[in-house]
Amino acid sequence: MADLTNMTKEQLEARLAALEAAYDDYKARNLKLDMSRGKPGPEQLDLSMALLDTVNEDNGAVTASGVDTRNYGMLEGIAECRKMFAELFQVEPEQVIVGGNSSLNMMFDYIAQAYSHGVCGGAPWCREEKVKFLCPAPGYDRHFAVTEYFGFELVTVDMTEDGPDMDQVERLAADPAVKGIWCVPMYSNPDGITYSDETVRRLAAMETGAPDFRIMWDNAYGLHHLTDTPDTLLDLYKEAAAHGHEDRVVMFMSTSKISFPGAGVAALASSPANIEDIRRRLSFQTIGYDKINMLRHVRFFGDAEGLRKHYAQHAAVIRPKFQAVLEALELHLGGKGIARWKKPNGGYFISVFLLDGCASETVRLLKEAGVVMTGAGATYPYGRDPRDSNIRIAPTYPSLEEIRTASDLFCICAELACTRKLLEKK
Amino acid sequence: MADLTNMTKEQLEARLAALEAAYDDYKARNLKLDMSRGKPGPEQLDLSMALLDTVNEDNGAVTASGVDTRNYGMLEGIAECRKMFAELFQVEPEQVIVGGNSSLNMMFDYIAQAYSHGVCGGAPWCREEKVKFLCPAPGYDRHFAVTEYFGFELVTVDMTEDGPDMDQVERLAADPAVKGIWCVPMYSNPDGITYSDETVRRLAAMETGAPDFRIMWDNAYGLHHLTDTPDTLLDLYKEAAAHGHEDRVVMFMSTSKISFPGAGVAALASSPANIEDIRRRLSFQTIGYDKINMLRHVRFFGDAEGLRKHYAQHAAVIRPKFQAVLEALELHLGGKGIARWKKPNGGYFISVFLLDGCASETVRLLKEAGVVMTGAGATYPYGRDPRDSNIRIAPTYPSLEEIRTASDLFCICAELACTRKLLEKK
């Protein structure tokens, strides 16, 4: 395929005409597709329907250890569910708190707790003159938004193939106003990057200016493999503990994309000191999270291995959708010098980088043709991609047929935007 | 029955000997009973088991309006559930947000929001030099604890038969540092008092020093009637709106004591401006609450009337337990001049006032004999009852037989403590 960046003005104009014609054809089809959020499709949700029947009149609602999940109590969650998550987090069950249906909620509440009360005896962050938070970008918009909500200054850190640029992180973390960093360490949102062992080691070992620096370690896709050659992730907590930095690490996880996005179970794990801090706050905040739903999950999945096996069924459903997007990208944009992307081994997204200044125009063109994408820039702090280059594709929710159509159209819109941009410079 | 306060020293000593002998007999029985928290008993929980089967493979998880409750979305809750709560709150469904399983969690989060961000454009409460909150006492310990957690000064307001002493409330609310008041307006915890129309009208109409004064209106027992002559409560929101004070009112409710304490559905209702404030915070805080559980509740209860009818079954279970306590109190403490209590028409508690200085000793005696009560003083701000007089009895969880035993023992302990106190003065 010809590299557009080497084309003459005339060649580009000819190409543009062809693209515009193709685009108009798509527009005439009045499509209505959504590739904006990482939402499982109905077929995936159907995989867990039997979970709903695990706690009822026939099966009862009492745990193996004799707890009636219907009543009040058990602020940290039922023992069986803590154990299941402890296996995944590779910590002791006592270091796990099982929450409600949203790990984002647990992260928000943790930041809110740091804001109003500080962590581990430190001053409340709301009393600091300035709080900064590191945001590896592209990253997860809703992480960034939590810290923006509390008025923290978001500091962009570049993502590399190995995770956040650790030279930048180490330099920035020396500033005592920098209180933490957001991380999706495995199959990162949106790039699908898994942090290298070296990155994890440096995060664990580095010196930080703030004694209450926190790594918000959102392992949202920790067992969300797509291929037979899954990535592996080093155990951050163990590494940090080896440096006496165990209080630095707060880990999150959920079954949102394994059971149900709206009715899964979330959990966090951390050092004993952090868990005690959080448990104390919970003793004021709630009567305890939904234990019946915890029991449903324990009975349906059994253990960590059960969760992994179940996810393989999800992977079978969504793998063809990822392949369809990747094939379209390769076929229509490969070798044209205007786009790059990574084939992820897991996670929920494909992240495409276009020529600078072409992302928002591509998203606009798609929207005009009936395909909703995550807003360009959403993957950067404050929603501003300095290069206007990155677009996040979420291929799970639409049907395979719809994904094929949307991917083809995506490529046309991307090439259209890039061709026009190249022509501007001629 | 002879009034102990008129007895001679010799009469009291004779009575004391008899009480001590009776107490020792109970102690020898090695009881293990709990009347400490307002927990429904297993028989009550069984009433809702069919709720668990309303959403499953057979019935599906899609609402009447076509929403797949399994997936992400619907920050304010599913329409059908908002409608059900709107009926109870007597507001428009748009004024309702349905939450997770804990109304306490919604209250905590609202106070946290006011702390970090203020309400309706006002300054964040964490920026105020001092924040005070009115706590009608005796009241609900966990309400007081939420505001204590955020460092507010708790200001005790006396409870009267008509609700909080409104002369005190009006005087205190003139202070701009006073940001709000906790209220359990119907069958109050622990006294079982329902606010009079006059009290509700004065709360609605009063001038407050703080423009962002909030009434935390926790209608936890709004349909939890025990008798055929239920109390009635005036509509605070309507009254407040008539004075242009609708933003003052934030109302809470849950099905915790109608379906399941650990897995019910909570909701709040307020003015459009407050709802917009809360909705904005939720857009950062969570991916939305558990919609499958909302759908279960809608399918099982149908509507507000369904909830009311269902609660009548609870009342049938717990009414004899309340009667057992009241009969014991009347039989053993009636006319002795050392205790007073109110027969509540609903709610979850019986509140007993003993001679000053006798509550904590009574609770200690009970504990030594194997009966756990809510700590004396728990119903007052900072856990300190200035008179050491009030004890909260929660009769729902133990069996009727256990309640009978515990009530008899309660009376013995109370009379024992009071007799000793009277003897001190001889």
Side-chain angles (χ1 to χ4, degrees):
Chain A
M1 189 66 65
D3 188 329
L4 271 69
T5 61
N6 296 332
M7 282 189 183
T8 65
K9 190 177 174 195
E10 290 66 31
Q11 286 172 313
L12 285 171
E13 277 169 349
R15 184 73 196 143
L16 184 64
L19 289 163
E20 284 175 342
Y23 178 68
D24 287 342
D25 283 350
Y26 270 101
K27 248 171 79 168
R29 287 167 65 179
N30 291 317
L31 298 172
K32 200 169 177 310
L33 301 173
D34 192 334
M35 298 208 294
S36 69
R37 304 293 324 177
K39 265 172 88 164
E43 198 183 338
Q44 291 174 264
L45 305 179
D46 288 344
L47 296 170
S48 298
M49 284 306 276
L51 178 149
L52 299 173
D53 280 327
T54 54
V55 180
N56 56 22
E57 201 131 27
D58 294 337
N59 304 323
V62 177
T63 69
S65 51
V67 171
D68 189 335
T69 56
R70 302 172 300 178
N71 225 324
Y72 290 118
M74 311 287 291
L75 217 47
E76 303 90 350
I78 61 172
E80 294 80 356
C81 204
R82 293 176 86 184
K83 185 165 171 287
M84 183 171 84
F85 279 108
E87 278 181 69
L88 292 168
F89 283 122
Q90 297 177 265
V91 297
E92 296 302 313
E94 294 70 33
Q95 290 175 255
V96 173
I97 290 176
V98 187
N101 67 324
S102 166
S103 58
L104 183 71
N105 203 153
M106 298 188 94
M107 295 176 225
F108 179 100
D109 285 4
Y110 186 73
I111 297 292
Q113 172 187 324
Y115 185 82
S116 63
H117 286 72
V119 289
C120 291
W125 293 4
C126 67
R127 302 290 172 220
E128 306 274 357
E129 206 163 311
K130 187 170 211 76
V131 174
K132 302 179 189 173
F133 225 81
L134 305 185
C135 301
Y140 180 34
D141 53 349
R142 301 200 65 174
H143 282 167
F144 305 160
V146 168
T147 31
E148 190 181 354
Y149 176 78
F150 285 99
F152 303 171
E153 183 183 320
L154 311 185
V155 182
T156 302
V157 170
D158 293 325
M159 276 295 280
T160 74
E161 282 301 304
D162 292 319
D165 182 318
M166 283 308 299
D167 291 342
Q168 292 178 28
V169 170
E170 285 166 350
R171 197 183 63 244
L172 291 162
D175 176 355
V178 171
K179 291 291 195 185
I181 183 172
W182 288 109
C183 296
V184 181
M186 197 150 185
Y187 306 133
S188 69
N189 174 353
D191 291 325
I193 289 167
T194 297
Y195 292 14
S196 70
D197 292 357
E198 174 68 7
T199 298
V200 174
R201 283 199 190 98
R202 288 174 72 177
L203 282 167
M206 68 181 180
E207 295 305 315
T208 62
D212 50 357
F213 184 97
R214 288 293 179 271
I215 300 175
M216 298 290 283
W217 196 249
D218 181 7
N219 203 357
Y221 309 105
L223 39 86
H224 301 54
H225 310 298
L226 275 174
T227 68
D228 297 332
T229 53
D231 297 349
T232 57
L233 178 69
L234 205 65
D235 181 343
L236 173 68
Y237 183 76
K238 200 172 144 194
E239 295 291 325
H243 290 88
H245 293 158
E246 65 269 27
D247 291 341
R248 174 182 297 179
V249 182
V250 191
M251 302 180 283
F252 302 89
M253 199 177 275
S254 84
T255 69
S256 292
K257 293 181 175 85
I258 307 172
S259 58
F260 303 116
V265 172
L268 64 78
S270 194
S271 68
N274 283 331
I275 291 296
E276 180 45 34
D277 247 22
I278 295 166
R279 205 205 56 76
R280 178 174 180 274
R281 185 240 310 158
L282 289 176
S283 74
F284 292 94
Q285 186 175 20
T286 177
I287 52 93
Y289 294 105
D290 185 338
K291 293 185 297 298
I292 292 186
N293 208 35
M294 295 179 202
L295 182 57
R296 283 189 196 101
H297 281 73
V298 167
R299 286 187 176 166
F300 186 63
F301 293 115
D303 54 17
E305 191 50 31
L307 280 164
R308 282 195 195 92
K309 277 191 183 142
H310 185 83
Y311 195 77
Q313 297 180 59
H314 283 268
V317 173
I318 65 178
R319 198 181 296 119
K321 297 182 179 183
F322 275 78
Q323 280 167 349
V325 175
L326 292 165
E327 282 164 15
L329 291 174
E330 191 53 45
L331 182 67
H332 301 304
L333 299 180
K336 290 189 176 169
I338 55 171
R340 65 182 172 83
W341 60 90
K342 179 185 147 72
K343 177 184 177 303
N345 282 324
Y348 249 61
F349 304 101
I350 292 165
S351 172
V352 179
F353 294 86
L354 301 175
L355 287 186
D356 287 2
C358 293
S360 49
E361 174 62 6
T362 300
V363 169
R364 193 193 64 76
L365 288 167
L366 279 159
K367 191 175 178 194
E368 214 174 280
V371 178
V372 180
M373 307 291 296
T374 310
T379 54
Y380 287 79
Y382 305 111
R384 288 193 302 264
D385 175 356
R387 297 184 151 179
D388 187 22
S389 161
N390 183 248
I391 299 179
R392 184 181 84 166
I393 300 177
T396 51
Y397 189 73
S399 71
L400 184 54
E401 206 39 50
E402 291 171 331
I403 285 293
R404 288 199 177 108
T405 305
S407 299
D408 287 348
L409 179 55
F410 173 86
C411 294
I412 287 169
C413 293
E415 191 177 347
L416 193 50
C418 291
T419 304
R420 282 179 183 154
K421 178 63 71 182
L422 289 169
L423 272 167
E424 280 174 20
K425 295 173 191 160
K426 295 286 166 182
Chain B
M1 189 66 63
D3 187 328
L4 271 69
T5 60
N6 296 330
M7 282 188 182
T8 64
K9 191 180 175 195
E10 291 65 34
Q11 287 173 314
L12 284 172
E13 277 169 349
R15 185 73 196 143
L16 184 64
L19 289 163
E20 283 174 344
Y23 178 68
D24 287 341
D25 284 349
Y26 269 102
K27 250 172 79 169
R29 289 168 64 178
N30 291 317
L31 297 173
K32 200 170 177 311
L33 301 172
D34 192 333
M35 298 207 294
S36 70
R37 304 292 325 177
K39 265 171 87 165
E43 198 183 338
Q44 290 174 264
L45 304 180
D46 289 343
L47 296 170
S48 297
M49 285 306 277
L51 178 149
L52 300 173
D53 280 327
T54 54
V55 180
N56 57 21
E57 201 133 25
D58 294 337
N59 305 323
V62 176
T63 69
S65 51
V67 170
D68 189 335
T69 57
R70 301 172 301 180
N71 224 324
Y72 291 118
M74 311 287 292
L75 216 47
E76 303 92 348
I78 61 172
E80 294 81 356
C81 205
R82 294 176 86 186
K83 185 166 172 287
M84 182 171 83
F85 279 108
E87 278 181 68
L88 293 168
F89 284 122
Q90 297 178 265
V91 298
E92 297 303 313
E94 294 70 34
Q95 290 174 256
V96 173
I97 289 176
V98 187
N101 67 324
S102 166
S103 57
L104 183 71
N105 203 153
M106 299 188 95
M107 294 176 225
F108 179 100
D109 286 3
Y110 186 72
I111 297 291
Q113 172 187 326
Y115 185 83
S116 63
H117 286 73
V119 289
C120 292
W125 294 4
C126 67
R127 302 290 172 219
E128 306 274 356
E129 206 162 311
K130 186 170 211 73
V131 174
K132 302 178 190 173
F133 225 81
L134 304 185
C135 300
Y140 180 35
D141 52 350
R142 302 200 64 174
H143 281 167
F144 305 160
V146 168
T147 32
E148 190 181 353
Y149 176 79
F150 285 100
F152 303 170
E153 182 183 323
L154 310 185
V155 181
T156 302
V157 170
D158 293 325
M159 277 293 280
T160 74
E161 282 300 304
D162 292 318
D165 183 319
M166 284 308 299
D167 292 342
Q168 292 178 27
V169 170
E170 286 167 349
R171 198 183 64 244
L172 291 162
D175 177 356
V178 171
K179 292 290 196 185
I181 183 171
W182 288 109
C183 296
V184 181
M186 199 152 183
Y187 306 133
S188 69
N189 175 351
D191 291 325
I193 289 166
T194 298
Y195 291 14
S196 70
D197 292 356
E198 174 68 9
T199 298
V200 174
R201 284 201 189 95
R202 287 174 73 177
L203 282 167
M206 69 181 180
E207 295 306 314
T208 62
D212 50 358
F213 185 97
R214 288 293 178 272
I215 300 175
M216 299 290 282
W217 196 248
D218 181 7
N219 204 358
Y221 309 104
L223 39 87
H224 301 52
H225 310 299
L226 275 173
T227 67
D228 298 331
T229 53
D231 296 350
T232 57
L233 178 69
L234 206 64
D235 181 342
L236 173 68
Y237 183 76
K238 200 172 142 193
E239 294 291 325
H243 290 89
H245 293 158
E246 65 270 27
D247 292 341
R248 174 182 297 179
V249 182
V250 192
M251 302 180 282
F252 302 88
M253 200 177 275
S254 83
T255 69
S256 292
K257 294 182 176 83
I258 308 172
S259 59
F260 302 117
V265 173
L268 63 77
S270 195
S271 68
N274 283 330
I275 291 295
E276 179 47 34
D277 247 22
I278 295 165
R279 205 206 57 76
R280 178 175 180 275
R281 185 240 311 157
L282 289 177
S283 75
F284 292 94
Q285 186 175 19
T286 177
I287 52 93
Y289 294 104
D290 185 338
K291 294 186 297 298
I292 293 186
N293 208 34
M294 294 179 203
L295 183 57
R296 283 188 195 101
H297 281 73
V298 167
R299 286 186 175 166
F300 186 64
F301 294 114
D303 54 16
E305 192 49 31
L307 280 163
R308 283 196 194 92
K309 277 191 183 142
H310 185 82
Y311 195 77
Q313 297 179 59
H314 283 267
V317 174
I318 64 178
R319 198 180 297 119
K321 298 182 179 182
F322 276 77
Q323 280 167 350
V325 175
L326 292 165
E327 281 164 16
L329 291 173
E330 191 52 43
L331 182 67
H332 301 303
L333 299 180
K336 289 189 176 170
I338 55 171
R340 64 182 172 84
W341 60 91
K342 180 186 146 74
K343 177 184 178 301
N345 282 323
Y348 250 61
F349 304 101
I350 293 165
S351 172
V352 179
F353 295 87
L354 300 175
L355 288 186
D356 288 2
C358 294
S360 49
E361 173 63 5
T362 300
V363 169
R364 193 192 65 75
L365 288 166
L366 279 159
K367 191 176 178 191
E368 214 175 281
V371 178
V372 180
M373 306 292 294
T374 311
T379 54
Y380 288 79
Y382 306 110
R384 288 192 303 264
D385 174 357
R387 298 184 149 180
D388 186 23
S389 161
N390 183 247
I391 299 180
R392 185 181 82 166
I393 299 177
T396 51
Y397 189 73
S399 70
L400 184 54
E401 205 41 48
E402 291 171 330
I403 285 293
R404 289 201 177 105
T405 306
S407 300
D408 286 348
L409 179 56
F410 173 86
C411 293
I412 288 169
C413 294
E415 192 178 347
L416 194 50
C418 292
T419 304
R420 282 179 182 155
K421 177 63 72 182
L422 289 169
L423 273 167
E424 280 174 21
K425 295 173 188 160
K426 295 285 168 181

